Amino acid sequence: MSTAHFQQLYEQADDPWQVRQRWYEQRKRSLLLASLPAPRYRHIFEPACGNGELTAALSERADRITASDVSPAAVALTRRRITTVNARQVATVEVQCQHLPGEWPSEQFDLIVISEMAYYLPPADLPLLLERCLRTLAPGGAVVLCHWRRPFADRLLDTDAIHAAFNASPALHRIVNHQEADFLLDVWSNNPHSVAQHEGISP
């Protein structure tokens, strides 16, 4: 999808997918947050941040967040949304305008959250997306993918195929797999231990 398409969407409405109002979106966001394997993260990367609703929620569990979107209007909305969070959290968030996966940042992240983004990519970009995640994932870090499963006009990649490509990587170990008719939520880590194993509950 072109930058102009998303720019137009966010210029016409500050919440084009109603991620604030819809219970579906609120519940999905809560499930994603509950699926994170650690209570807090040093540095989170959130590509395709949209209007910043998930960014704001993640900021409560991060020392630092790098968020980005292809649309300058979405970047402005995320920056505005972050100002409604407390002052300490505002200082942790940097929002950039980037065309991903090509303009992927070079830093190391211990959490990468890709939500409702990868199905817009042309098929040739899926291996690059995976490579960028693997290259910038810190030791013990986690990658989250969450995507709508049903057909829609702008889709270029199938959700199940996207998640299957990540699951096939020998460098990643799936620690969460949540499937519904509407969406798919997966979490992988480059550390094979479960949350219970990290806490010494399970051998």
Side-chain angles (χ1 to χ4, degrees):
M1 298 299 297
S2 69
T3 301
H5 172 79
F6 292 106
Q7 180 70 2
Q8 184 179 32
L9 282 174
Y10 283 106
E11 285 177 345
Q12 291 174 342
D14 65 358
D15 192 9
W17 287 279
Q18 297 184 308
V19 297
R20 296 192 195 104
Q21 296 93 340
R22 285 182 173 150
W23 170 242
Y24 166 81
E25 293 289 351
Q26 295 171 22
R27 172 180 173 269
K28 182 184 66 174
R29 194 157 51 247
S30 295
L31 285 167
L32 188 156
L33 293 166
S35 297
L36 299 181
R40 191 162 185 85
Y41 292 90
R42 177 189 57 83
H43 194 179
I44 296 175
F45 180 43
E46 184 201 1
C49 58
N51 64 4
E53 284 302 306
L54 180 56
T55 316
L58 289 168
S59 73
E60 299 180 9
R61 294 175 61 176
D63 298 330
R64 182 184 173 198
I65 293 181
T66 298
S68 71
D69 202 280
V70 70
S71 162
V75 168
L77 288 168
T78 297
R79 288 173 176 162
R80 188 188 313 162
R81 176 66 178 89
I82 292 302
T83 64
T84 68
V85 189
N86 75 52
R88 185 194 64 78
Q89 291 164 346
V90 170
T92 68
V93 182
E94 179 183 1
V95 190
Q96 305 171 351
C97 193
Q98 294 176 320
H99 196 285
L100 300 171
E103 296 179 335
W104 199 273
S106 60
E107 300 173 76
Q108 292 282 292
F109 307 101
D110 51 359
L111 179 65
I112 299 171
V113 180
I114 300 172
S115 180
E116 311 298 354
M117 171 263 201
Y119 42 55
Y120 291 117
L121 298 176
D125 277 358
L126 181 56
L128 181 60
L129 177 68
L130 175 56
E131 186 276 330
R132 294 289 193 262
C133 287
L134 295 177
R135 180 171 55 80
T136 58
L137 189 64
V143 179
V144 179
L145 264 64
C146 185
H147 292 95
W148 177 252
R149 298 180 89 177
R150 299 187 186 274
F152 65 99
D154 297 332
R155 179 187 288 280
L156 297 179
L157 284 170
D158 175 72
T159 286
D160 288 49
I162 295 164
H163 287 233
F166 275 72
N167 200 50
S169 170
L172 294 175
H173 309 272
R174 187 159 64 183
I175 54 177
V176 175
N177 174 230
H178 179 84
Q179 300 188 43
E180 298 189 11
D182 297 317
F183 73 94
L184 185 58
L185 169 64
D186 281 305
V187 183
W188 295 269
S189 176
N190 52 23
N191 185 317
H193 293 122
S194 70
V195 175
Q197 287 174 318
H198 278 298
E199 297 206 334
I201 302 169
S202 175

